[in-house]
């Protein structure tokens, strides 16, 4: 039985972090209610990787099999130059034997559907925008844009990188622009050079291109280039990208030509330096509101999923709610800070444009990644998670 004093957790934000937190809390026997400002659940971006660390967490929630029914298990990751020269190959298919779960790629929309189905709709409120909070020694009140108020034991800020609750807690501190912009889309695409379970990341001069399949016959791609923030594409985006990647390895041109221009999403790449404070009394940050990171390690959603498990574990195990939140913060901050720093560093490495620097980068990847970087990340897949399995409860507290 849970020893938690928590009677109800309010969650601001119905993204991957918020949904996973609600599922984990319910499994721990704690009632959770999500408030999402949008009129429907929506996924930003198109595809993502669920690395083995996230799949271990989803397995604890009973959702790993549902993910594997949709998304392909990835056997290896290839890193190449823009001309196609192999820089390094990471045999991630071995994770199943070593750690007990695969690495899977999946569409964001499909992952959110799996999480929402596991949660059900009884405790999910759409069109409910949380704009602030008040609290006392006994609980916290979420304040809504329409004047409504909701009372709970804990308020989880899972409202993203531009979190209004983080702003109330820590002040107005805009996210950091990383110096590059990404264009991305998910398309129907099959090609002999893209076998099922493919991942390929290519490096050029201040430019990158990544693709991986997220379902059979469905491909996610992303083009990244050094550019100022805030730009608006006036039209001809596909032709611009085709010109930018002219002469790059196959099948990049085919991928771009197969893309409906209206489906291409443009994003300034933002993050933050690690924060030391995630909690204010009974209010706690989670996911991108706590530790936003760039795409470069593929760990953004994965770390939010881990957050959910650790938060639920801490709240279920302790009768002192503020102490439980402090325990969550203490456990999670070192791991997420490492991912934030690694993502920033790899992004700077990928953004190199000087020909001499690019050549040195490629030599570095060839010489060190397979012996150093991959071994460290491999170990991190399992040993860094550090949560205890959640007990199953039949009813909420």
């Amino acid at each position: 039985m849970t020893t938690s004093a928590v009677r109800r957790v309010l969650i601001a934000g119905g993204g991957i972090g918020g949904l996973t937190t609600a599922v984990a809390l319910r499994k721990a026997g704690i009632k959770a209610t999500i408030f999402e400002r949008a009129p429907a659940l929506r996924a930003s971006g198109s595809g993502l990787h669920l690395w083995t660390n996230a799949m271990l967490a989803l397995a604890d929630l009973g959702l790993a099999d549902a993910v594997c029914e949709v998304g392909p298990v990835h056997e290896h990751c290839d890193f190449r130059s823009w001309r196609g020269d192999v820089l390094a190959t990471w045999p991630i298919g071995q994770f199943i034997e070593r750690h007990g779960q695969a690495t899977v790629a999946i569409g964001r929309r499909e992952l959110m559907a799996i999480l929402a189905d596991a949660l059900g709709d009884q405790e999910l409120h759409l069109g409910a925008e949380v704009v602030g909070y008040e609290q006392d020694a006994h609980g916290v009140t979420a304040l809504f844009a329409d004047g409504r108020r909701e009372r709970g034991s804990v308020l989880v800020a899972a409202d993203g990188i531009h979190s209004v609750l983080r702003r109330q807690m820590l002040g107005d501190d805009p996210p950091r622009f990383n110096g590059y912009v990404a264009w991305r889309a998910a398309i129907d695409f099959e090609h002999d050079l893209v076998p099922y379970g493919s991942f390929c990341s290519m490096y050029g001069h201040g430019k990158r291109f990544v693709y991986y399949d997220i379902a059979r016959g469905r491909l996610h791609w992303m083009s990244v280039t050094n550019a100022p923030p805030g730009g608006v594409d006036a039209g001809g985006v596909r032709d611009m990208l085709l010109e930018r990647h002219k002469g790059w390895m196959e099948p990049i041109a085919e991928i771009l030509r197969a893309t409906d221009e209206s489906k291409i999403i443009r994003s300034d790449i933002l993050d933050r330096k690690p924060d030391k404070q995630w909690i204010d009394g009974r209010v706690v940050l989670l996911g991108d509101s706590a530790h936003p990171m760039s795409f470069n390690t593929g760990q953004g959603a994965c770390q939010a999923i881990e957050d959910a498990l650790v938060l639920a574990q801490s709240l279920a195990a302790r009768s002192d709610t503020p102490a439980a939140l402090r325990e969550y913060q203490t456990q999670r901050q070192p791991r997420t800070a490492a991912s934030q720093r690694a993502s920033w560093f790899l992004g700077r490495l990928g953004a190199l444009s000087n020909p001499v620097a690019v050549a040195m980068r490629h030599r570095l990847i060839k010489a060190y990644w397979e012996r150093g970087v991959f071994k460290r990340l491999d170990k991190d897949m399992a040993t860094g998670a550090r949560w205890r399995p959640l007990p199953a409860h039949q009813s909420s507290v």
Side-chain angles (χ1 to χ4, degrees), residues 72 75 78 102 104 150 165 192 211 311 332:
E75 296 294 332
D78 286 335
V104 180
E150 291 278 351
L165 299 183
D192 290 343
Y211 65 77
L311 180 61
R332 294 299 299 150

Side-chain angles (χ1 to χ4, degrees), residues 255-394:
I255 291 171
L256 291 172
R257 291 193 186 101
T259 303
D260 181 343
E261 188 165 298
S262 67
K263 304 298 184 183
I264 299 175
I265 302 167
R266 174 185 174 134
S267 304
D268 295 339
I269 304 303
L270 308 174
D271 72 352
R272 294 186 190 276
K273 295 180 180 180
D275 285 314
K276 294 183 179 180
Q277 180 181 349
W278 290 5
I279 55 176
D280 174 20
R282 292 173 175 268
V283 184
V284 59
L285 307 181
L286 182 142
D288 280 350
S289 70
H291 47 74
M293 61 191 74
S294 63
F295 62 83
N296 293 286
T297 58
Q299 280 290 329
C302 299
Q303 292 301 315
I305 291 169
E306 285 190 11
D307 286 351
L309 269 287
V310 174
L311 180 61
Q313 169 201 308
S314 298
L315 289 173
R318 286 182 173 269
S319 59
D320 184 334
T321 299
L325 298 182
R326 291 193 297 270
E327 179 183 69
Y328 156 78
Q329 176 179 271
T330 299
Q331 286 193 49
R332 294 299 299 150
Q333 278 187 335
R335 180 160 167 78
T336 59
S339 287
Q340 285 176 282
R341 295 187 186 104
S343 295
W344 182 88
F345 173 77
L346 291 175
R348 298 318 306 158
L349 196 66
L352 293 174
S353 58
N354 179 278
V356 175
V358 167
M360 291 179 62
R361 175 188 65 199
H362 292 180
R363 286 198 293 270
L364 174 67
I365 293 174
K366 286 181 178 180
Y368 181 66
W369 280 33
E370 292 185 18
R371 297 201 306 267
V373 174
F374 293 163
K375 285 186 177 181
R376 172 62 185 272
L377 293 174
D378 188 333
K379 182 180 178 182
D380 221 29
M381 286 297 116
T383 60
R386 305 185 195 285
W387 65 78
R388 297 183 296 274
L390 289 169
H393 290 260
Q394 298 302 315

Side-chain angles (χ1 to χ4, degrees), residues 21-203:
T21 300
V23 173
L25 286 168
R26 188 171 68 177
K27 182 178 180 185
I30 298 172
K31 183 177 181 180
T33 306
I34 295 177
F35 300 96
E36 166 56 43
R37 67 179 181 180
L41 290 180
R42 58 188 182 187
S44 60
S46 47
L48 56 82
H49 264 108
L50 291 173
W51 290 91
T52 292
N53 58 304
M55 290 297 293
L56 288 166
L58 292 171
D60 191 48
L61 296 177
L63 300 178
D65 289 345
V67 169
C68 290
E69 288 177 4
V70 177
V73 170
H74 279 202
E75 296 294 332
H76 55 82
C77 294
D78 286 335
F79 299 86
R80 297 174 178 262
S81 74
W82 65 279
R83 296 180 184 274
D85 301 322
V86 176
L87 303 177
T89 297
W90 191 9
I92 60 175
Q94 298 173 6
F95 288 174
I96 301 175
E97 181 177 350
R98 286 207 291 272
H99 306 310
Q101 286 292 333
T103 287
V104 180
I106 192 170
R108 288 179 179 269
R109 181 173 57 188
E110 286 72 21
L111 175 59
M112 288 181 62
I114 290 170
L115 293 168
D117 183 64
L119 179 65
D121 59 4
Q122 292 184 357
E123 297 301 331
L124 174 61
H125 299 269
L126 301 173
E129 182 179 2
V130 180
V131 295
Y133 61 86
E134 297 173 352
Q135 61 181 318
D136 54 39
H138 305 290
V140 60
T141 301
L143 311 178
F144 291 80
D146 61 4
R148 184 167 48 143
R149 301 163 68 91
E150 291 278 351
R151 183 76 169 171
S153 303
V154 174
L155 173 59
V156 178
D159 51 344
I161 191 170
H162 300 290
S163 168
V164 297
L165 299 183
R166 181 192 184 278
R167 188 178 308 127
Q168 179 174 340
M169 182 186 299
L170 300 178
D172 191 6
D173 177 25
R176 172 177 61 177
F177 176 59
N178 280 214
Y180 43 91
V181 177
W183 289 260
R184 69 191 85 192
I187 62 172
D188 294 330
F189 187 83
E190 293 185 87
H191 196 286
D192 290 343
L193 294 176
V194 187
Y196 193 57
S198 290
F199 172 94
C200 190
S201 179
M202 290 138 282
Y203 293 84

Side-chain angles (χ1 to χ4, degrees), residues 204-219:
H205 296 75
K207 307 170 189 175
R208 285 173 280 169
F209 197 94
V210 178
Y211 65 77
Y212 52 88
D213 50 354
I214 55 176
R216 192 167 295 280
R218 189 76 174 162
L219 189 78

